[in-house]
Amino acid sequence: MVNIAVFASGSGTNTEALIRHFSSSEKYRVALVFSNRAKAGVLERATRLGVPFEVLTKDKMTSEALMELMARYEIGFIVLAGYLCKIPDELIKAYPKRIVNIHPALLPKYGGKGMYGKHVHEAVVKAGEKETGITIHYINENYDEGEIISQKSCPVEPSDTPDEVATKVHALEHQYYPQVVENLLENLSRNQDS
């Protein structure tokens, strides 16, 4: 059984999609929801879905504390789902190609520090883009610059508001993120067996 940690800072809709997706798996499970915000909505979702959660606020977050948490829950894979803090280099080194993120745009467009959630959708609409979507990528030491694993797109109509774009993007996230994560886990498992 591979234990997955989901890191989230917000309401947790993607976290819930991941927990539900893996709830019937015999090989993978979401063993921990981690947040940097004590009042994040994702913590209520984790409680409702029976998944343990831990919180380290900015004043308590150190590489050592994060590594200790990952060891305590025997985490083998980390999934970022609306997590708004930079991942420490030590964690990236400890989990090579085992930390993934989802970004609500087609990277390299609309990525980087401060580009998350509604900020991304507002920028997409303001620029008059004809399409947007999601990018699932590995984490490296720079925001939104890790190797791209998968991208899915949706049209942006001239009349779309940022909220309408967000709705389309969320639908893509919930549909594709859990499956892409499972495919990555399957590939890791095959590579370890060979």
Side-chain angles (χ1 to χ4, degrees), residues 88-100:
D89 290 348
E90 292 84 350
L91 202 60
I92 295 169
K93 288 184 183 107
Y95 287 86
K97 293 236 178 178
R98 290 185 293 144
I99 306 177
V100 296

Side-chain angles (χ1 to χ4, degrees), residues 119-139:
H119 303 293
V120 173
H121 308 310
E122 287 168 353
V124 164
V125 168
K126 185 175 179 184
E129 295 286 353
K130 299 209 177 335
E131 73 171 0
T132 189
I134 60 170
T135 302
I136 300 165
H137 64 96
Y138 291 111
I139 292 299

Side-chain angles (χ1 to χ4, degrees), residues 85 102 121 149 161:
C85 286
I102 189 164
H121 308 310
I149 299 161
T161 65

Side-chain angles (χ1 to χ4, degrees), residues 3-20 22 29-36 42-43 46 51-55 66 69-70 73 75-83 87 98-102 177-178 181 185:
N3 286 339
I4 303 165
V6 180
F7 285 28
S9 300
S11 70
T13 60
N14 275 312
T15 301
E16 181 164 343
L18 288 156
I19 292 169
R20 290 189 183 284
F22 290 109
R29 71 179 176 136
V30 177
L32 173 66
V33 171
F34 172 77
S35 187
N36 60 310
V42 70
L43 304 179
V51 175
F53 69 82
E54 298 280 351
V55 176
L66 264 179
L69 264 183
M70 298 304 103
Y73 286 90
I75 299 302
F77 198 84
I78 299 171
V79 179
L80 309 186
Y83 184 67
I87 301 297
R98 290 185 293 144
I99 306 177
V100 296
N101 183 43
I102 189 164
Y177 201 22
V181 169
L185 288 163

